[in-house]
Amino acid sequence: MRTTTSQAPTVHRSATLQSVAEATGVHRSTVARALDPGQSHRISAEVVERVRAEAQRQGYRRDQIAASLRTGKSRLIGVVIPDLANPAFATMLAAIEDRLAIDGYSMLVADGGGSSGALPIVEELMARRVDGLVLATATRDDPVLTACISAAIPTVLVNRREDALRVTSIAANDVGGMCLAVEHLVSLGHCEIAHVAGPIDMSTGVLRRRGFEDAMRQVNLDPSFVISATEYSRDAGRIAATQLLGRWPQATAIVAGNDLLALGTIQEIKHRGLSCPDDISVIGHNDMPLLDMVAPPLTTIDAEFARMGALAARALVAGIEAARTEPEVILTTPRLILRESTAAR
């Protein structure tokens, strides 16, 4: 019996830009552009396909280190997030990576542990010659961003904003998201609505609290049932909920500053022998993965983390390649995700 196998690519140990150029009948500079994801759009798709096929046949691999020395660009982007364990950031990181790949960039991801621990991480990324930074760790007046600006490295904030507009920020419409949450609870008949807010040094904590208070006033309800958590974590959410329910035990619904705070709040509700949502309804914010698997499945506000990530990557690349762009705030559109942690009063 005769068998056949697919033919492996011919590997030329001396494969070079020149050997690929000679085989395809184009100039070596054209080969370089065709094999560079950031430059290939400048030549025809037919030439790009032909060059890449020949490079694969010869076993040619682009020397990224040599390319970076030649161009002065590493085509690496540093991405610093506050908590790698937070599932919400997985969605954002995937979108950043996908968008950067389109423009020929790769990313280095680091856990900054919040803004206070981010400066050494950012300095290390700059030492690795990243072309730009995406920061999800910024506080309202961020010293790390000051260091980035001083170093003249293009930087974009994601899911955070500063009080001053120094660089482009991609963030959720925090005020609008809280309005959706309060409107939903009011439609269910709740009047005693409380808020477990995020940290006051974060734009998300301040803006979501402002949105909650504004929405409560608009429907003539008391906006003062508020406790701020010290950080965005489940443990901090439970501690804040303990304080809140100890002070305002009449609350029938709680809007949390993010999903982790909401999960901590539900823990405290159950610890008190109460039921969510029968006794107290809870709403989160961000719509991180797996919320449909918790008990009860969490009603939350979708902050569009995937879109945030894609927009941040696109804005950063634009800033790198244009050398300078005017800073702006770009907001995503919040959406109520209705599950089982809220019920009629």
Side-chain angles (χ1 to χ4, degrees):
M1 179 182 291
R2 182 180 180 183
T3 60
T4 59
T5 58
S6 59
Q7 185 175 5
T10 302
V11 177
H12 293 216
R13 295 188 182 277
S14 59
T16 63
L17 286 177
Q18 187 61 40
S19 67
V20 175
E22 291 172 357
T24 53
V26 299
H27 194 274
R28 58 179 291 159
S29 64
T30 302
V31 173
R33 292 191 183 95
L35 298 177
D36 183 349
Q39 301 287 327
S40 59
H41 64 279
R42 297 183 178 182
I43 56 182
S44 73
E46 184 273 331
V47 171
V48 170
E49 183 177 357
R50 181 154 49 93
V51 167
R52 289 180 178 175
E54 179 60 27
Q56 183 177 16
R57 190 188 74 80
Q58 291 192 22
Y60 175 80
R61 295 293 182 267
R62 185 168 178 263
D63 189 336
Q64 185 61 53
I65 295 176
S68 67
L69 291 173
R70 185 171 60 253
T71 64
K73 291 185 177 181
S74 66
R75 304 204 77 83
L76 292 174
I77 301 299
V79 182
V80 185
I81 63 173
D83 183 9
L84 275 171
N86 186 337
F89 289 106
T91 302
M92 179 184 290
L93 288 172
I96 292 174
E97 183 178 38
D98 289 346
R99 179 63 234 188
L100 288 176
I102 292 173
D103 294 308
Y105 290 84
S106 300
M107 70 177 185
L108 298 175
V109 181
D111 189 330
S115 181
S116 60
L119 184 55
I121 295 294
V122 167
E123 289 175 340
E124 175 66 20
L125 289 170
M126 287 193 283
R128 292 174 181 267
R129 301 178 61 84
V130 295
D131 292 334
L133 289 162
V134 177
L135 301 181
T137 55
T139 56
R140 294 166 59 199
D141 182 17
D142 197 82
V144 177
L145 181 57
T146 300
C148 296
I149 293 171
S150 297
I153 183 165
T155 305
V156 167
L157 305 185
V158 65
N159 193 43
R160 299 284 175 80
R161 298 161 60 180
E162 278 201 308
D163 289 347
L165 182 59
R166 296 193 288 171
V167 299
T168 292
S169 300
I170 316 296
N173 183 342
D174 295 311
V175 172
M178 287 294 105
C179 183
L180 289 177
V182 170
E183 287 177 350
H184 170 62
L185 292 171
V186 170
S187 73
L188 294 175
H190 292 274
C191 297
E192 307 288 343
I193 305 172
H195 180 39
V196 172
I200 60 174
D201 62 334
M202 305 292 183
S203 62
T204 47
V206 170
L207 291 173
R208 289 172 193 174
R209 176 171 182 161
R210 183 184 304 167
F212 171 81
E213 292 172 342
D214 289 349
M216 292 289 285
R217 291 190 187 99
Q218 288 174 7
V219 291
N220 298 314
L221 295 178
D222 185 353
S224 65
F225 297 4
V226 179
I227 294 291
S228 291
T230 57
E231 63 181 12
Y232 283 118
S233 71
R234 191 174 61 181
D235 288 343
R238 182 170 182 177
I239 291 170
T242 300
Q243 297 170 350
L244 188 151
L245 292 172
R247 186 170 179 181
W248 298 291
Q250 69 270 34
T252 64
I254 298 174
V255 181
N258 83 346
D259 295 327
L260 292 176
L261 295 179
L263 295 179
T265 296
I266 292 174
Q267 274 189 310
E268 179 57 24
I269 290 170
K270 292 179 178 179
H271 177 72
R272 290 170 177 259
L274 300 173
S275 170
C276 173
D278 295 337
D279 296 308
I280 303 177
S281 290
V282 176
I283 295 183
H285 196 290
N286 288 348
D287 193 30
M288 69 184 192
L290 304 180
L291 291 180
D292 58 330
M293 304 295 290
V294 302
L298 186 66
T299 295
T300 188
I301 301 297
D302 178 7
E304 291 196 300
F305 263 41
R307 184 162 182 264
M308 248 190 257
L311 289 171
R314 187 170 68 180
L316 182 61
V317 170
I320 292 169
E321 298 187 349
R324 177 172 176 79
T325 57
E326 290 300 317
E328 60 180 328
V329 175
I330 301 173
L331 300 180
T332 58
T333 303
R335 183 169 59 102
L336 177 69
I337 306 298
L338 186 60
R339 296 192 179 100
E340 298 174 24
S341 65
T342 55
R345 184 60 181 161

